[in-house]
Amino acid sequence: MHKPTLSNRIRVYRAEHRLSQADLAAAIGVSRKTINTIEVGRFVPSTIIALLIARHFEVPVEEIFSLQR
Amino acid sequence: MHKPTLSNRIRVYRAEHRLSQADLAAAIGVSRKTINTIEVGRFVPSTIIALLIARHFEVPVEEIFSLQR
DNA sequence: ACTTATTGATACCCTAAGGTTACATTTAGT
DNA sequence: ACTAAATGTAACCTTAGGGTATCAATAAGT
């Protein structure tokens, strides 16, 4: 049983919405570091943060976060 | 900035699928404790685990996990 | 009533997440 | 070229998540 990793399309959605990492962070109430580390794939976010990001872009969580392998 | 909490409908879906907590845990490769603590709302799961649970029941993450307030 | 399955909760341990701050680098605007 | 904005990292700290193991309490079957 090997654990899957997580990929994300935050950067794509940020670009579409013309938001900086800091903008998005402020919009959902987390630190810029949190957005950055999630976006570059260093940390796996909590479900609450995933829902906040998805809701902000008005898309399902699965549209932004995907399980790998 | 008040942080939202998380509610879930894991129990409902487990019941529909006639799965025990242990069954679901085994099916997605986590411990029973993990399912139990998430289900009773004590812990907020990682996005990976939320995706695994949603995928197992073939529903969107938002169908199982909801932000509160 | 008895037995088994299931659930809730605990203690313990270890690692990851997320916050603050700071700094270097890269990108964009002028 | 210069300046300002945006990004990537890092150190440091605190808390939460998730694992194993265990036990009590409840639910379900017989």
Side-chain angles (χ1 to χ4, degrees), chain B residues 5-67:
Chain B
T5 58
L6 191 69
S7 68
N8 77 84
R9 312 213 307 150
I10 295 174
R11 180 154 313 185
V12 175
Y13 279 91
R14 272 202 309 108
E16 282 180 4
H17 290 246
R18 306 260 143 66
L19 291 176
S20 70
Q21 292 178 347
D23 291 337
L24 177 56
I28 69 175
V30 300
S31 73
R32 182 179 71 83
K33 179 214 156 189
T34 295
I35 295 298
N36 178 261
T37 54
I38 293 168
E39 182 170 311
V40 301
R42 288 161 45 77
F43 286 169
V44 174
S46 76
T47 298
I48 288 181
I49 292 180
L51 285 167
L52 287 169
I53 294 173
R55 187 176 72 181
H56 187 269
F57 292 127
E58 299 179 291
V59 294
V61 168
E62 284 84 350
E63 180 63 26
I64 299 195
F65 295 98
S66 305
L67 292 172

Side-chain angles (χ1 to χ4, degrees), chain A residues 30-31 33-34 43-46 49:
Chain A
V30 299
S31 73
K33 180 216 156 190
T34 295
F43 287 169
V44 174
S46 75
I49 293 180

Side-chain angles (χ1 to χ4, degrees), chain A residues 32-68:
Chain A
R32 182 179 71 82
K33 180 216 156 190
T34 295
I35 295 298
N36 177 263
T37 53
I38 292 168
E39 181 172 311
V40 302
R42 287 161 45 78
F43 287 169
V44 174
S46 75
T47 298
I48 288 181
I49 293 180
L51 285 167
L52 287 169
I53 294 173
R55 188 176 71 179
H56 184 82
F57 292 128
E58 299 180 289
V59 294
V61 168
E62 284 85 350
E63 180 63 27
I64 300 196
F65 295 97
S66 305
L67 293 171
Q68 296 302 310

